[in-house]
Amino acid sequence: MTVKRPPSDRIRLVVSDIDGTLVPQDKRVTPDVLAAAAALRKAGIALCLVSSRGPVGMQPFLGPLGIDRPIAALNGGLICTPDGKIMSRHSLAPETTREAVEELLSRDVDPWLFIDYDWLVRDGDTAQVRHEATVVKTVPVVAPDLSHHYDGVGKIMGVSTDVAQLRTVERELSVQLAGRANVHRSSEWLVDVTHPLANKGHAAQELAALMGIEIHEVACIGDMNNDIPMLDVAGVAIAMGNAPAEVQKHAHFVTDANTHDGWARAMERFVLPRA
């Protein structure tokens, strides 16, 4: 479904994805992004982050960006204060977790579990786990038998280097778990399974409500399928230039790619004029 309403003419809050949006592949916050975040503060526009990452993996961005507002981790499954206090959580039913994990394993997709601040993996020495640990600066908990940890799961992440397979898994698992879970790719190599209310659209609405801001006064910006729910509810919806076409069609505006400071350009062109 494409965005049909016109963009709002007043913005009081920006809700932003991190990976692929705020930062490029090297995960570096550029000087232009820092300057744009400072300009938002000066204009009285709040900034909140929402991410597929766990809360620990989001922490390194809060200080440099001057963020003192709540954050939404695990695609909105966990709302936290900047100092880590959990404000709300949405966990998968244990039976849904079991079914999703078994389905991923049957398709040779490695399942990771996220429970509050813990990240559980079956093998801590795979290339994908080592890469993720470096990126999000988190040490995983190794649990060879995940079946002992199906209670309280905020997110299942399916990991594979087979991009075509993950597209199929995203499509078919979303049908299989319809009404019980959201299934969206958060990158070409990752597919997320979360509680039905743990989506970035619901997270954007929760964050806005916490600050007494109407959703039509919120700008949302993202780059992947899991960002579509927040683009669909935003007063101003912005897709990155590096976003797939299926994501861009849900946006009011498309900015430059993350390799060309697209986030900063979006704030300058589409958000700050609406302060």
Side-chain angles (χ1 to χ4, degrees):
M1 188 173 80
T2 57
V3 174
K4 295 182 179 179
R5 66 196 179 286
S8 298
D9 57 9
R10 184 189 184 202
I11 292 300
R12 299 173 59 199
L13 168 65
V14 171
V15 175
S16 174
D17 172 52
I18 296 176
D19 299 288
T21 299
L22 186 74
V23 296
Q25 191 67 28
D26 63 7
K27 311 305 180 186
R28 183 175 59 93
V29 181
T30 68
D32 279 7
V33 166
L34 292 174
L40 291 178
R41 288 196 301 274
K42 185 175 180 181
I45 299 175
L47 173 61
C48 289
L49 299 183
V50 58
S51 177
S52 173
R53 292 179 179 228
V56 176
M58 298 176 70
Q59 285 293 323
F61 300 97
L62 305 186
L65 293 168
I67 293 176
D68 58 0
R69 307 302 177 104
I71 61 173
L74 306 181
N75 285 333
L78 205 63
I79 306 291
C80 307
T81 61
D83 61 1
K85 180 181 177 182
I86 296 174
M87 304 176 74
S88 69
R89 61 163 62 83
H90 299 290
S91 302
L92 290 162
E95 177 59 24
T96 302
T97 297
R98 180 199 63 77
E99 187 175 340
V101 167
E102 291 179 358
E103 185 65 21
L104 291 172
L105 288 172
S106 74
R107 295 169 180 259
D108 294 320
V109 176
D110 191 26
W112 299 343
L113 304 184
F114 294 80
I115 303 173
D116 290 346
Y117 295 100
D118 291 331
W119 164 34
L120 282 68
V121 301
R122 296 184 305 145
D123 182 353
D125 197 34
T126 69
Q128 291 85 1
V129 169
R130 291 195 301 270
H131 173 75
E132 185 74 5
T134 300
V135 168
V136 302
K137 298 178 173 55
T138 305
V139 178
V141 176
V142 177
D145 185 356
L146 293 178
S147 67
H148 299 305
H149 305 278
Y150 287 169
D151 288 327
V153 173
K155 183 182 72 167
I156 304 164
M157 182 179 280
V159 186
S160 174
T161 56
D162 187 338
V163 174
Q165 170 75 320
L166 275 191
R167 290 196 187 105
T168 300
V169 168
E170 178 189 34
R171 182 176 64 253
E172 296 183 357
L173 196 56
S174 65
V175 173
Q176 181 177 334
L177 300 179
R180 294 180 288 151
N182 292 315
V183 182
H184 293 292
R185 280 178 299 135
S186 55
S187 83
E188 291 294 327
W189 307 275
L190 305 171
V191 63
D192 295 342
V193 181
T194 57
H195 185 279
L197 292 180
N199 69 74
K200 292 188 179 183
H202 186 76
Q205 292 171 318
E206 276 199 80
L207 292 168
L210 285 170
M211 287 179 275
I213 295 173
E214 299 292 332
I215 193 64
H216 65 83
E217 297 177 307
V218 178
C220 294
I221 180 168
D223 74 303
M224 279 301 295
N225 297 44
N226 63 331
D227 296 313
I228 289 174
M230 70 176 180
L231 297 181
D232 282 346
V233 301
V236 172
I238 308 167
M240 297 297 294
N242 49 285
E246 62 191 285
V247 176
Q248 293 185 4
K249 72 180 183 181
H250 289 261
H252 293 111
F253 305 108
V254 177
T255 186
D256 297 338
N258 60 357
T259 52
H260 291 81
D261 275 318
W263 192 90
R265 302 291 85 79
M267 299 305 111
E268 295 166 1
R269 296 168 183 162
F270 311 127
V271 177
L272 287 167
R274 291 175 164 84

